[in-house]
């Protein structure tokens, strides 16, 4: 079964994926921050049983993962696959994860809230992802009593989630806007509209791979549908501007050179750091979207971007790898995925 | 007809080419440095007629080029193709060039000496090249009276050529010895043996492309055969050390990575400076010689190294090119030559 991140979806040139996250808490227990170990264990057990019973009627296969049973590499790989938050694995005691085979649905137990229901989708699909999350939420609500206030809506540990408890976000690839230096201006303007735009990988003004996360910040005073429509409309404007900036950008021979070399290096490298990979794959993605590169598909790029992250690449090789070994394994995977089967590798090592 | 530099020859992994040069002067005229324009013209006419008459019995087709009729680009391209010296084109008045179709035989008229007979060959072939030069020299001697002294040998304008007037040289590719940092030590030791080892392209301790010229410095007190045997024996030792250093060097994954990427970049670049080309093609040559690269041949590499030099690449495009245009044309030629016909260029610009 293909994972969600092994596919590409609508507006795939600029939108890598869509995420809907719902924060829910049990009326019967204090927020996780106020729970002692026994309390956390009790909540975990209760939620686990309820969820696994609820989802039996769904077509997807759900699995339960006891977080403190995982190795550190396995835990970090969950973050790299966008299944859990970095905070969730910082202290794994009394925390559990429920997820589907294709990793598109996951429920963190005892993160900041008792439940964090998350639905991921390839491409631009906010409404579809919300529909799935909403259906699951309703199902769970039949067995679990959620903390809900008529006036405030869903109660959450952090007041920024109060109300819908929903965070909708899009993972966007914005290489041309990043290159134009206009990203910082976007950030300020979007804040006024209740929208946040942040780099997803790495710190600094130029996030690795030019991957950004666009998400709603307002959960109080408007419905989920309104928040999603708002986010959707702003995303479409950003995507249109990104596309127009790309068309201008790839007219330069320097950019064509950078794009073409990036694919050449990804195919031929025998050692590849994650940082260099992110920079080069971003160029390749830009090349695919502008028609310069015709032999690579978005789903291949999307898959690679998850597959060769440090912990995930280590896991695929069956355990811990030193950084140097990891760079060699990463280079091999990348070269295989990006080289057509008809072209044998002509540098034999 | 293939030019000599479009082929590869004996010991082609380390020896790009062989050159024999004989300096000869007419007994009847002062050395070129002492000639006025009329005198230079007279010598040029005299040598030209004698040479073209002499060589009629030879299988090769010889052509005469009036140097001051050439454009600067054409003149520089002759230097890049190793047909004439840089000094020869610095002032082209009263100078002529005779050369064969395959450019393996050339005679500079009124360079430092009245005649500079030069024979070039692919690979390691000192004896063969000398045989050709010697045959031509004897032929010319039947029509031209060379300045010769029983005790000193051939008289030349510069005393360093006195005696045999012969400079034998090998163009060597020594990337592993260069990388090991041992080249400077070689230089000092070889001087004591009457041999010079110099970088052929660029200044500094690391010549571009790791291409070196090994040549005899002694022309007095030993025969041409002795000088050649001496050079040959030293060359074989250097080649053996280079080969052994290569075997050790390419065991490292970093080096394999550099070699594989170099081919990847040369195939995919859309802009390529001469400096970067030289660095990358040197790595590719190393890859071919160590068996890491199996789809590229030495003759392709040798040909490219001449073909994409600045003036020669401009000429092939029919004239003057700005540096930026030249880098684009160079990238295109390199990519075409190094990409197998079965693999279509998959970055379309």
């Amino acid at each position: 079964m293909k994972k969600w991140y092994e596919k590409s979806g609508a507006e795939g040139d600029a939108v890598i994926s869509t995420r809907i996250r719902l924060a829910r808490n049990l009326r019967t227990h204090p927020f996780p921050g106020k729970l002692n170990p026994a309390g956390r264990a009790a909540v975990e057990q209760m939620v686990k049983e309820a969820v696994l019973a609820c989802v039996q009627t769904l077509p997807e296969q759900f699995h339960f993962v006891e977080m403190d049973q995982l190795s550190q590499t396995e835990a970090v790989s969950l973050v790299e696959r966008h299944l859990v938050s970095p905070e969730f694995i910082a202290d794994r005691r009394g925390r559990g994860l429920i997820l589907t085979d294709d990793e598109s649905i996951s429920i963190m137990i005892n993160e900041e809230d008792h439940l964090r229901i998350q639905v991921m989708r390839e491409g631009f699909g906010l409404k579809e992802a919300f529909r799935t999350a909403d259906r699951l939420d309703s199902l769970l609500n039949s067995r679990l009593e959620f903390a809900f206030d008529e006036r405030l809506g869903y109660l959450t540990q952090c007041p920024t989630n109060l109300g819908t408890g929903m965070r909708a976000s899009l993972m966007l690839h914005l290489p041309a806007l990043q290159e134009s230096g206009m990203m910082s201006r976007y950030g300020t303007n979007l804040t006024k509209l209740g929208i946040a735009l942040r780099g997803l990988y790495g710190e600094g003004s130029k996030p690795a791979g030019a991957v950004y996360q666009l998400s709603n910040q307002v959960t109080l005073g408007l419905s989920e549908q309104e928040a999603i429509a708002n986010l959707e409309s702003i995303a479409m404007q950003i995507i249109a501007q990104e596309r127009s900036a790309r068309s201008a950008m790839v007219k330069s021979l320097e950019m064509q050179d950078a794009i073409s070399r990036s694919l050449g290096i990804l195919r031929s490298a025998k050692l590849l750091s994650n940082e260099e990979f992110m920079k080069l794959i971003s160029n390749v993605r830009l090349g695919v979207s502008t028609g310069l590169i015709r032999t690579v598909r978005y789903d291949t790029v999307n898959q690679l971007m998850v597959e060769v992250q440090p912990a995930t690449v280590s896991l695929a090789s069956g355990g811990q790898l030193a950084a140097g070994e990891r760079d060699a394994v990463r280079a091999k995977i990348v070269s295989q995925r990006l080289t057509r089967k008809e072209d044998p590798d002509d540098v034999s090592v």
Side-chain angles (χ1 to χ4, degrees), chain A:
Chain A
M1 169 174 285
K2 282 211 168 186
K3 314 284 189 202
W4 69 265
Y5 56 77
E6 295 170 358
K7 310 182 214 170
S8 73
E11 321 295 345
D13 59 331
V15 186
I16 300 171
S17 63
T18 297
R19 190 172 73 105
I20 295 285
R21 186 266 285 152
L22 302 175
R24 298 288 182 262
N25 287 283
L26 304 180
R27 182 184 294 272
T28 50
H29 289 73
F31 290 134
K34 294 281 181 191
L35 282 176
N36 59 20
R40 285 166 74 134
V43 167
E44 189 188 351
Q45 191 55 28
M46 195 175 155
V47 172
K48 173 186 165 186
E49 282 172 14
V51 171
L52 292 181
C54 282
V55 298
Q56 276 179 348
T57 58
L58 296 178
E60 296 91 351
Q61 278 290 320
F62 286 76
H63 309 276
F64 176 76
V65 178
E66 190 76 72
M67 286 303 291
D68 60 8
Q69 301 292 305
L70 299 181
S71 71
Q72 181 63 14
T73 307
E74 289 171 318
V76 175
S77 173
L78 291 175
V79 177
E80 292 172 354
R81 280 138 69 203
H82 309 286
L83 283 165
V84 305
S85 61
E87 295 74 24
F88 191 60
I89 66 162
D91 180 358
R92 305 205 297 272
R93 288 171 300 174
R95 287 177 163 170
L97 175 69
I98 293 170
L99 77 167
T100 54
D101 280 341
D102 72 349
E103 301 185 2
S104 70
I105 305 177
S106 60
I107 301 170
M108 286 183 274
I109 306 174
N110 285 331
E111 207 246 21
E112 193 179 277
D113 298 293
H114 292 144
L115 290 93
R116 284 276 176 103
I117 304 167
Q118 179 183 273
V119 176
M120 298 282 315
R121 273 185 72 92
E122 63 279 8
F124 195 15
L126 285 165
K127 289 197 191 76
E128 297 81 350
F130 177 71
R131 208 175 300 132
T132 305
D134 190 42
R135 200 185 50 193
L136 186 57
D137 180 41
S138 306
L139 218 52
L140 297 180
N141 212 0
S142 67
R143 291 208 175 225
L144 297 168
E145 205 182 339
F146 290 147
F148 185 82
D149 179 273
E150 281 301 329
R151 200 169 51 90
L152 293 172
Y154 290 102
L155 303 181
T156 56
Q157 181 163 304
C158 178
T160 57
N161 293 314
L162 207 62
T164 60
M166 183 190 78
R167 185 80 69 235
S169 61
L170 295 165
M171 204 192 297
L172 302 177
H173 184 228
L174 304 176
L177 291 179
Q178 175 173 292
E179 199 53 33
S180 74
M182 282 175 43
M183 295 308 293
S184 57
R185 242 175 55 197
Y186 272 97
T188 319
N189 290 337
L190 290 171
T191 307
K192 296 176 196 159
L193 299 167
I195 300 283
L197 183 63
R198 295 194 194 93
L200 197 60
Y201 296 102
E203 301 295 316
S205 60
K206 287 198 172 186
V211 178
Y212 290 81
Q213 184 175 269
L214 187 78
S215 62
N216 72 311
Q217 296 302 298
V218 182
T219 52
L220 206 56
L222 80 181
S223 70
E224 290 89 344
Q225 285 75 9
E226 287 167 332
I228 284 174
N230 186 25
L231 183 65
E232 232 170 22
S233 140
I234 287 168
M236 283 314 294
Q237 293 175 47
I238 293 176
I239 294 167
Q241 288 173 21
E242 168 67 22
R243 283 175 182 156
S244 141
R246 284 183 191 180
S247 309
M249 189 173 168
V250 296
K251 288 204 180 92
S252 95
L253 196 51
E254 283 73 18
M255 200 61 227
Q256 293 167 6
D257 180 53
I259 288 171
S260 185
R261 280 173 184 242
S262 295
L263 181 56
I265 294 172
L266 288 177
R267 281 182 173 158
S268 60
K270 300 290 176 189
L271 286 173
L272 200 56
S273 72
N274 196 45
E275 192 188 344
E276 184 182 14
F277 165 76
M278 289 299 283
K279 186 175 143 252
L280 298 176
I281 199 75
S282 174
N283 283 340
V284 168
R285 215 180 193 288
L286 177 61
V288 175
S289 78
T290 48
L292 295 180
I293 296 177
R294 298 196 182 137
T295 53
V296 176
R297 295 187 333 217
Y298 290 125
D299 55 358
T300 308
V301 173
N302 293 353
Q303 180 176 358
L304 269 180
M305 285 178 76
V306 169
E307 209 175 358
V308 305
Q309 294 293 319
T312 306
V313 87
S314 286
L315 268 195
S317 315
Q320 291 291 346
L321 289 180
E325 297 169 307
R326 210 160 54 200
D327 288 355
V329 174
R330 178 181 294 114
K332 199 164 196 172
I333 295 174
V334 169
S335 171
Q336 281 170 350
R337 288 265 189 280
L338 293 178
T339 306
R340 290 162 299 168
K341 292 199 183 54
E342 311 87 89
D343 310 336
D345 183 14
D346 59 357
V347 177
S348 56
V349 170

